[in-house]
Amino acid sequence: MSSLSLITKQHKARLERRIAGSTNRWRFPKQPFTGDLLSLSQMCKALSIDFEEALRNPDRLYISQIQKFFCENFKNKDIQSAEADVILECLGFKWELHQPQLFQSETLAKLYLKALTQGTTYPLRELEELLRAQSPKKTKEKSPAKRMIISLKINDPQVTKVAFATALKNLYMSEVEINLEDVLGVLASAHILQFSGLFQRCVDVMITRLMPSTINNVYEAGCKYKEEQLTTACEKWLEMNLVPLVGTQIHLRKIPQDLLHKVLKSPRLFTFSEFRLLKTMLLWVFLQLNYKIQAIPTHETVMTFFKSFPENCCFLDRDIGQSLRPLFLCLRLHGITKGKDLEVLRYINFFPESWLNRVTANHYHALENGGDMDQLKDLNTQAVRFGLLFNQENTTYSKMIAVYGFFFKITGLKHDTTTYSFYMQRIKHTDLESPFVVYEHKPISLRTARLVKYEIRAQALVDGKWQEFRTNQIIQKFGLTKLSCKSHILKIQTVGIPIYVSFAFIFPPS
């Protein structure tokens, strides 16, 4: 008799069968699921839940079912009773909440369900009774639901009482304004509450309001909460604004080194010239080492600071500079060709002698071979870069550049409110408007043709998303006649302002 009882218990412990249509499917025991694999899969699909996640975390399935129930039956309806269903104890306050709103937060839903089913033999029956009691199809005389007290402990210093109150308010109102000062705390609160809708709203607000004073906090929040949208947005924004905007403000000090390294390696990085990028990086290092300075120093002050170190060892070879080498290896020092800029490189005693000798040797080789840059192959990682920042007030904007005795004018034109075109054009040295300004301390090449491999890229921010326009990588022989002196024209349409235009090129062997 006892062996028969044991066999019966073992049989009940195994999965049961049931007839479903013309099939005979295995079903789960009553806990934690109430159906078979196929029905569970179909349920997950209907509730937009990952099937494997449901198997790992059955509570997620219950919460999603209840969320769907409240969404379908209580959407746009006022709270029927002033009496709260739940008292939340958190941050030293007691917050009164109602079931339909509470279940928007997975964290609060789990706490509530745990309190509701604690000590009960049939927790699923308790959930079914909860849903039946709240159904609007029932008569108005409903038995009151259990009034629960739940507690939530928060250790995140970003979560303030004001930010947490704003997050809870968003359970009841979908259009609560989120102040820029509080958005980081609200994001942290939404993360703890597992309130996905509010979390995404905070992400959108932070991305659309990126600026030099906020980018560090936004990037750190993206890393902390593993939100790739935030970290990616910071990288793309800084690729455009490191040199023209952040590099002119004290907020440059707060840019983390890992973010800076990613930006310096990006082929989309905008800079007016390679030397301007170098000046920005030297300023960043200066601000890291001089914490008390609260205003942007002059370039002369920065150079004097680095020159003040003993001359027996360059800055990057010192213990203090070793960790910064990966950043400066990303710079394209070979793109600094102006004589007085090259003098600065040696004056500040910042780079190892081997680096400077390599740059000098490459310049001599190029000059001896009519400008050929034999050592440069990859346009994305080695090209010499120049940039135009096309603002709203510009209708025509151009800048003269010179490399190894060849002169080019890079130009931007505004045709109407949304149409622009950009190109580069070779200029004969005798046709320069201000020859002494442009080619002072520079050689002049008399070659009639110059083979150039180039790309023109334009980027603009529109509604929080970056638009990118670019030519192909083009190899073209630039002459001095009207038909041969102009590059391919990049024509774009955008409402974004400003437009960041980059001209990248190398001189292949010819």
Side-chain angles (χ1 to χ4, degrees):
M1 192 73 176
S2 60
S3 61
L4 180 61
S5 175
L6 180 61
I7 292 172
T8 303
K9 288 180 180 178
Q10 290 175 343
H11 175 74
K12 287 184 177 180
R14 295 199 305 267
L15 297 176
E16 304 170 6
R17 282 186 180 275
R18 74 170 180 184
I19 300 298
S22 59
T23 63
N24 204 14
R25 301 200 297 259
W26 288 108
R27 65 172 290 166
F28 290 100
K30 292 185 178 179
Q31 299 295 338
F33 302 107
T34 57
D36 55 47
L37 276 171
L38 180 58
S39 63
L40 175 64
S41 174
Q42 292 168 341
M43 185 185 301
C44 288
K45 193 172 183 179
L47 295 171
S48 300
I49 302 172
D50 182 69
F51 180 67
E52 293 184 2
E53 173 65 20
L55 290 174
R56 288 192 299 267
N57 185 8
D59 287 345
R60 179 78 185 277
L61 191 62
Y62 299 147
I63 293 168
S64 296
Q65 286 178 284
I66 298 173
Q67 284 176 334
K68 184 179 181 182
F69 169 82
F70 281 124
C71 181
E72 292 176 350
N73 293 285
F74 290 89
K75 191 174 183 180
N76 300 323
K77 292 180 186 265
D78 295 330
I79 299 169
Q80 298 293 325
S81 170
E83 288 293 324
D85 304 306
V86 181
I87 303 296
L88 170 64
E89 295 178 345
C90 186
L91 299 175
F93 282 80
K94 292 184 178 181
W95 315 82
E96 295 187 347
L97 302 173
H98 299 78
Q99 287 172 348
Q101 287 70 34
L102 174 143
F103 275 96
Q104 295 179 66
S105 160
E106 288 195 25
T107 299
L108 297 182
K110 288 176 183 177
L111 290 173
Y112 179 67
L113 292 178
K114 183 178 180 181
L116 180 70
T117 59
Q118 193 169 12
T120 62
T121 308
Y122 303 103
L124 288 180
R125 187 178 299 169
E126 291 283 346
L127 298 183
E128 291 170 0
E129 289 178 1
L130 166 66
L131 297 181
R132 276 200 300 271
Q134 293 297 322
S135 176
K137 297 179 182 179
K138 296 289 182 182
T139 60
K140 293 183 179 180
E141 297 296 329
K142 299 178 188 174
S143 58
K146 292 183 181 180
R147 186 183 177 93
M148 296 291 176
I149 298 178
I150 58 177
S151 298
L152 177 62
K153 188 176 181 180
I154 296 177
N155 296 319
D156 192 333
Q158 295 290 353
V159 180
T160 64
K161 293 175 182 176
V162 173
F164 191 71
T166 302
L168 293 180
K169 190 176 181 180
N170 273 269
L171 294 174
Y172 291 82
M173 303 171 63
S174 58
E175 298 299 326
V176 176
E177 183 178 355
I178 303 174
N179 295 325
L180 189 58
E181 298 77 19
D182 301 325
V183 67
L184 189 57
V186 178
L187 178 86
S189 301
H191 176 78
I192 289 171
L193 292 172
Q194 296 183 57
F195 187 1
S196 58
L198 177 60
F199 188 88
Q200 186 59 51
R201 278 189 61 204
C202 292
V203 168
D204 294 340
V205 168
M206 295 169 82
I207 290 175
T208 55
R209 299 182 188 177
L210 272 174
M211 59 186 72
S213 60
T214 64
I215 185 169
N216 178 54
N217 289 337
V218 174
Y219 181 73
E220 288 185 347
C223 295
K224 180 177 181 179
Y225 303 118
K226 296 180 174 58
E227 182 50 56
E228 191 175 343
Q229 287 184 77
L230 290 178
T231 55
T232 301
C234 289
E235 291 171 24
K236 289 186 175 181
W237 187 89
L238 195 60
E239 287 168 359
M240 296 298 102
N241 292 288
L242 173 62
V243 174
L245 184 59
V246 183
T248 64
Q249 299 185 23
I250 198 67
H251 302 296
L252 176 65
R253 168 187 283 138
K254 296 182 180 180
I255 302 299
Q257 184 171 338
D258 65 320
L259 174 58
L260 202 54
H261 191 227
K262 292 176 185 177
V263 169
L264 291 174
K265 291 193 300 182
S266 171
R268 294 182 297 272
L269 173 63
F270 173 85
T271 182
F272 297 111
S273 67
E274 301 300 337
F275 188 68
R276 278 291 296 273
L277 179 59
L278 171 62
K279 288 173 64 175
T280 301
M281 289 303 302
L282 292 175
L283 177 58
W284 180 84
V285 176
F286 176 87
L287 293 174
Q288 302 305 304
L289 302 177
N290 295 272
Y291 306 105
K292 295 182 179 180
I293 291 181
Q294 297 300 317
I296 290 291
T298 63
H299 178 56
E300 289 71 23
T301 301
V302 176
M303 289 194 297
T304 302
F305 170 77
F306 291 114
K307 182 64 176 175
S308 67
F309 287 88
E311 294 186 2
N312 63 333
C313 181
C314 75
F315 183 85
L316 288 181
D317 280 341
R318 298 181 182 277
D319 292 340
I320 197 174
Q322 287 286 341
S323 63
L324 303 178
R325 275 177 167 253
L327 295 179
F328 286 89
L329 283 170
C330 296
L331 301 187
R332 305 177 188 181
L333 298 181
H334 58 267
I336 301 175
T337 59
K338 191 180 293 186
K340 63 179 182 179
D341 295 342
L342 292 170
E343 290 174 6
V344 169
L345 289 186
R346 291 197 172 274
Y347 173 79
I348 59 177
N349 193 30
F350 189 88
F351 297 99
E353 189 69 22
S354 60
W355 293 24
L356 299 178
N357 289 340
R358 190 182 312 117
V359 170
T360 303
N362 289 338
H363 287 336
Y364 274 119
H365 177 82
L367 289 170
E368 289 178 348
N369 291 274
D372 292 355
M373 302 176 181
D374 292 343
Q375 78 283 5
L376 306 183
K377 306 296 181 183
D378 185 13
L379 204 61
N380 285 327
T381 60
Q382 297 178 311
V384 180
R385 296 167 293 189
F386 292 92
L388 294 178
L389 189 61
F390 209 85
N391 292 302
Q392 190 166 5
E393 62 271 14
N394 298 130
T395 54
T396 302
Y397 184 35
S398 62
K399 185 167 67 174
M400 197 71 65
I401 60 175
V403 178
Y404 298 144
F406 296 92
F407 299 90
F408 294 86
K409 182 165 69 173
I410 54 178
T411 302
L413 298 175
K414 182 178 181 179
H415 301 287
D416 55 45
T417 54
T418 61
T419 307
Y420 305 83
S421 60
F422 306 96
Y423 62 92
M424 58 189 289
Q425 180 178 357
R426 186 180 172 193
I427 304 294
K428 192 174 182 180
H429 68 278
T430 55
D431 295 335
L432 297 173
E433 296 177 0
S434 303
F436 294 105
V437 175
V438 178
Y439 60 79
E440 183 183 7
H441 306 303
K442 286 185 176 293
I444 297 173
S445 176
L446 300 179
R447 291 182 63 170
T448 57
R450 173 66 260 173
L451 192 65
V452 181
K453 182 178 181 180
Y454 68 92
E455 180 184 61
I456 305 172
R457 186 192 304 253
Q459 297 175 83
L461 187 62
V462 178
D463 296 330
K465 295 183 179 180
W466 287 99
Q467 291 182 334
E468 182 175 349
F469 311 88
R470 56 196 290 190
T471 65
N472 296 322
Q473 293 188 7
I474 301 170
I475 297 179
Q476 178 181 335
K477 187 172 289 187
F478 281 79
L480 294 172
T481 65
K482 188 175 182 180
L483 295 177
S484 64
C485 67
K486 186 179 289 189
S487 73
H488 176 87
I489 297 176
L490 176 64
K491 194 168 185 178
I492 70 170
Q493 284 193 317
T494 181
V495 295
I497 287 291
I499 304 173
Y500 305 80
V501 190
S502 295
F503 297 80
F505 59 86
I506 58 177
F507 294 165
S510 58

